[in-house]
């Protein structure tokens, strides 16, 4: 018997157009994934791939800049490009909201971290 059942809808966006004047060149190569569930939870991620360690700092700046541009003060826990704020996952959030007894048992057993 499942202890959680929900649906997720994901949309993915990639910024690929190198030549468009409408696209900030800092954002080319970044991807945005947006997930929403049928129980009202939503989360977004901005990602990129780097192929050498010396590109990591620049990639983090680019990601932070896009997150800041896409966010408004009342919608984001990470406006301004600071350190990422840990976000509870979909399953963890579902369990906290709908199966708290099961979530607490998982915490007590050490199979999930507390949030």
């Amino acid at each position: 018997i499942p202890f959680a059942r929900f649906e997720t809808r994901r949309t993915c966006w990639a910024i690929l157009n190198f030549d468009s004047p409408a696209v900030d060149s800092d954002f080319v190569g970044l991807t945005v994934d947006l997930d929403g569930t049928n129980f009202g939870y939503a989360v977004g991620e901005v990602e990129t791939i780097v192929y050498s360690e010396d590109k990591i700092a620049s990639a983090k700046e680019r990601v932070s800049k896009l997150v800041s541009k896409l966010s408004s003060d009342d919608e984001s826990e990470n406006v301004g490009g600071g350190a990422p704020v840990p976000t509870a996952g979909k399953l963890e959030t579902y369990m906290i909201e709908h199966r708290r007894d099961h979530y607490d048992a998982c915490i007590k057993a050490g199979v999930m971290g507390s949030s």
Side-chain angles (χ1 to χ4, degrees), residues 69-88:
K69 189 172 185 85
L70 294 174
S71 301
S72 67
D73 289 336
D74 60 352
E75 293 176 345
S76 174
E77 297 174 3
N78 189 27
V79 173
V85 175
T87 302

Side-chain angles (χ1 to χ4, degrees), residues 15-16 23-31 62 65-66 69:
I15 303 171
L16 302 173
V23 175
D24 186 327
S25 63
D26 283 347
F27 302 149
V28 171
L30 299 180
T31 60
R62 294 171 52 233
K65 183 177 175 184
L66 182 56
K69 189 172 185 85

Side-chain angles (χ1 to χ4, degrees), residues 44-108:
E45 301 172 324
V46 177
E47 304 171 317
T48 191
I49 296 173
V50 295
Y51 296 99
S52 62
E53 268 191 60
D54 63 319
K55 303 288 186 194
I56 293 173
S58 172
K60 286 181 177 181
E61 286 179 33
R62 294 171 52 233
V63 167
S64 291
K65 183 177 175 184
L66 182 56
V67 168
S68 182
K69 189 172 185 85
L70 294 174
S71 301
S72 67
D73 289 336
D74 60 352
E75 293 176 345
S76 174
E77 297 174 3
N78 189 27
V79 173
V85 175
T87 302
K90 294 181 286 271
L91 177 59
E92 183 179 13
T93 300
Y94 179 90
M95 290 174 67
I96 290 168
E97 293 179 2
H98 301 281
R99 293 294 309 268
R100 187 63 193 222
D101 57 336
H102 198 101
Y103 175 78
D104 290 341
C106 288
I107 295 299
K108 185 175 180 179

